[in-house]
Amino acid sequence: MTVQQPPIQTRRITVIGAGVIGLSTAHELATAGYAVTVISDQEPLETVSAVAAAIWFPYHTENSPAADLLLARSLARFEELASIPAAGVDLRPGLNVDHLPGADRSWTKIVANATEAPKAELPEGAHAGVYARLPIITMTTYLSWLRNEVEALGVKFIHGTVEDLAELKGSADLAVIAGGLRGGQLLGDAESVYPIRGQVVRLANTKKLTDWLCDDDYPDGVSYIIPRREDIIVGGTDTAHDWNREVDPDTAAAILRRATELMPELEGLEVLEHKVGLRPARDAIRLELVSGHQIPVIAAYGHGGAGVTLSWGTAQRVLDLVAEIH
């Protein structure tokens, strides 16, 4: 007797990881009618996604036509979500600074409102800059909202750790690996994934600042200032292969000094919190069907510092890949 596969709408899919990639993927799959379960040993607000500033910007990720499609799809979705106050997404103007000629501006072709900044409005020592109105995502609000949306679609959550994909046989027809830094462990790819340590300071936004500023090549280190609704995320660091999750006081002081030089309005704002996150980097994003397992597997990890930025595009690509599996 021939065993029939379940109808595509009822295919059981397990997503491993509850960060922004995992939740976005679960949302798109459930919306398409799949029966989705998310397995993670961390709650969304415990993941590195919760530390993100977060601004739509391709930070520390690959530059390719494939990545451009992910960026464009994500930008379109975040622009839609900005009309939903509860989602925690706001479109805000700001300035991205270039210190050297030939800086990568490929992202500007995706943004409809990017314009050249006048020289007189640039920080001292800057070569050029671009003004743009981009999505700013308050991650504590957004991750909680997204989880609620996913649960409303019928997605089930299991707190636990998958040690071997064989464990899923019988309970899942397909698995999606969206496990961030640990994404490669289940696929024998762990050595290709490495951390880029990011330390940030969270300030109270009592002055109701709205304009963001990013200066990746500031002489004394990367500096970004991302005002959100009630706070301001100030960064940062971008140290590759650094697993240290502890806050360094000297680094925090340097971050605040650089940021205040760039934006004097920060002077005197209350420090609410110091945070450290390890961005899950890889030389190239791994977003593909992986063969050789007892059930079909889709890899979706290695997004570097652009997990939020690429999240919806990644989720939609996963949906495309699922549709290709017969």
Side-chain angles (χ1 to χ4, degrees):
M1 184 179 70
T2 302
V3 178
Q4 296 293 324
Q5 289 293 321
I8 193 168
Q9 289 82 4
T10 57
R11 186 180 285 172
R12 301 164 302 169
I13 301 178
T14 293
V15 176
I16 299 173
V20 70
I21 299 293
L23 289 180
S24 304
T25 298
H27 183 282
E28 297 301 85
L29 292 171
T31 300
Y34 297 103
V36 181
T37 299
V38 174
I39 299 179
S40 177
D41 61 359
Q42 292 181 309
E43 292 297 313
L45 291 176
E46 297 171 343
T47 66
V48 67
S49 300
V51 182
I55 181 172
W56 178 96
F57 195 84
Y59 185 72
H60 273 304
T61 192
E62 71 177 79
N63 182 354
S64 68
D68 286 348
L69 177 59
L70 304 184
L71 289 169
R73 285 178 162 184
S74 291
L75 178 60
R77 180 63 65 87
F78 281 123
E79 288 175 339
E80 292 174 6
L81 293 177
S83 65
I84 305 174
V89 180
D90 300 291
L91 298 176
R92 295 194 165 176
L95 172 66
N96 186 72
V97 176
D98 300 330
H99 275 273
L100 301 172
D104 180 14
R105 288 191 175 185
S106 57
W107 62 274
T108 60
K109 65 179 180 287
I110 301 169
V111 180
N113 55 62
T115 57
E116 192 71 26
K119 273 278 191 181
E121 297 176 13
L122 297 175
E124 183 178 352
H127 171 75
V130 176
Y131 283 118
R133 189 166 177 259
L134 300 177
I136 303 293
I137 301 99
T138 301
M139 290 306 291
T140 49
T141 301
Y142 178 68
L143 287 173
S144 298
W145 173 85
L146 184 54
R147 166 141 188 181
N148 289 338
E149 290 292 303
V150 166
E151 288 184 322
L153 289 168
V155 174
K156 295 180 173 57
F157 282 80
I158 296 175
H159 187 274
T161 303
V162 177
E163 301 291 351
D164 191 312
L165 289 171
E167 298 170 23
L168 301 179
K169 189 179 180 182
S171 63
D173 303 306
L174 187 150
V176 179
I177 312 298
L181 269 177
R182 290 182 291 178
Q185 291 180 1
L186 291 169
L187 299 175
D189 187 37
E191 291 186 2
S192 76
V193 186
Y194 60 93
I196 298 178
R197 182 180 181 275
Q199 181 170 324
V200 299
V201 182
R202 190 166 70 90
L203 303 177
N205 193 6
T206 49
K207 297 180 181 178
K208 301 301 179 185
L209 302 179
T210 57
D211 291 15
W212 54 270
L213 190 153
C214 293
D215 190 342
D216 292 349
D217 297 313
Y218 193 73
D220 295 331
V222 60
S223 188
Y224 50 88
I225 302 154
I226 313 295
R228 308 192 298 192
R229 294 179 180 180
E230 303 298 332
D231 60 12
I232 303 170
I233 300 297
V234 177
T237 62
D238 59 355
T239 312
H241 303 283
D242 187 344
W243 291 89
N244 180 20
R245 297 176 184 268
E246 299 299 316
V247 171
D248 180 77
D250 291 338
T251 299
I255 288 170
L256 286 173
R257 175 183 54 77
R258 293 197 300 268
T260 305
E261 288 174 357
L262 287 167
M263 192 177 289
E265 299 94 320
L266 299 178
E267 187 71 47
L269 292 180
E270 179 187 359
V271 174
L272 299 176
E273 191 177 13
H274 297 274
K275 302 180 81 171
V276 173
L278 303 182
R279 308 175 182 98
R282 195 172 182 273
D283 289 345
I285 300 165
R286 191 170 190 192
L287 185 51
E288 62 183 356
L289 179 63
V290 182
S291 60
H293 297 275
Q294 296 183 35
I295 59 174
V297 177
I298 293 172
Y301 58 86
H303 293 75
V308 177
T309 299
L310 297 165
S311 56
W312 288 110
T314 296
Q316 291 169 31
R317 178 57 184 151
V318 169
L319 187 60
D320 294 340
L321 289 169
V322 171
E324 295 173 10
I325 299 171
H326 301 292

